[in-house]
Amino acid sequence: MECVFGLVGDGFALIVADSSAVHSILVHKANEDKVLVLDSHKLLGVSGEAGDRVQFIEYIQKNVHLYQFRNGIPLSTAAAANFTRGELATALRKNPYFVNILLAGYDKDIGPSLYYIDYIATLHKIDKGAFGYGSYFSLAMMDRYFRSGMSLEEAIDLVDKCIVEIRSRLVVAPPNFVIKIVDQNGAREYAWRESISSD
């Protein structure tokens, strides 16, 4: 019952993910952060099998850091997306990772961007996207209310509409969500939307 969604606004991109760690009918955690800060100006929102999710995104994060350490410059968002896609494609024929990824980043000359990478290594640059059961509702809300060049306030209002729709329409809805944004000032946590305390 995972849900990850994101969008690109005016000078920023954001990713929202549920924070439930579930197995079968049990909820193990309600505060799992599924949006990784990949580097200073990139975010990685991931859904999928818990073990694959953690192992794969840490592998990607360490290799992106290694590239920057060796070459003295960070990967662009497009390059990081293509590297991630390449690693998923290589693993597909050996030991596939069941992960779906939204990669958001901000590049100085290009601005914000969002990439959709699914478990069979499909890569697309998009303005809005979602994975998981919650995607049925969040994509419907974004189709209706999203427009290019949204301000941060408008985007957060749309995110809240998506969360309300997911909570009210999904049978087993995740209660808590984390919102992270990336813009010219870097990648950072923006807010949590909690209906169940994670203490």
Side-chain angles (χ1 to χ4, degrees), residues 14-128:
L14 61 79
I15 294 181
V16 183
D18 76 283
S19 60
S20 298
V22 300
H23 179 73
S24 184
I25 61 169
L26 299 177
V27 176
H28 296 292
K29 280 175 78 175
N31 62 349
E32 172 117 354
D33 192 350
K34 298 176 186 172
V35 184
L36 177 79
V37 175
L38 193 58
D39 67 15
S40 65
H41 285 78
K42 289 179 202 62
L43 294 170
L44 209 59
V46 189
S47 70
E49 293 292 326
D52 287 355
R53 185 178 70 233
V54 172
Q55 184 179 1
F56 185 72
I57 63 172
E58 285 185 359
Y59 171 76
I60 295 299
Q61 182 187 42
K62 301 312 178 202
N63 275 279
V64 167
H65 286 177
L66 179 62
Y67 178 89
Q68 185 172 352
F69 179 71
R70 282 183 173 163
N71 299 292
I73 56 167
L75 284 171
S76 69
T77 306
N82 279 285
F83 171 73
T84 304
R85 184 222 161 268
E87 293 301 315
L88 275 174
T90 301
L92 195 58
R93 282 145 186 87
K94 297 176 184 174
N95 188 16
Y97 293 101
F98 294 103
V99 294
N100 297 306
I101 297 168
L102 288 177
L103 193 154
Y106 186 92
D107 299 298
K108 190 162 56 174
D109 300 328
I110 300 166
S113 53
L114 181 67
Y115 290 87
Y116 167 108
I117 311 164
D118 70 10
Y119 73 101
I120 52 173
T122 304
L123 172 66
H124 287 290
K125 185 177 182 183
I126 56 175
D127 288 329
K128 60 187 183 333

Side-chain angles (χ1 to χ4, degrees), residues 12 14 151-161 179 181 190 193:
F12 69 93
L14 61 79
S151 69
L152 182 57
E153 292 75 22
E154 292 170 325
I156 293 300
D157 183 55
L158 176 53
V159 164
D160 288 335
K161 285 178 179 168
I179 305 167
I181 68 166
Y190 181 81
R193 299 292 190 256

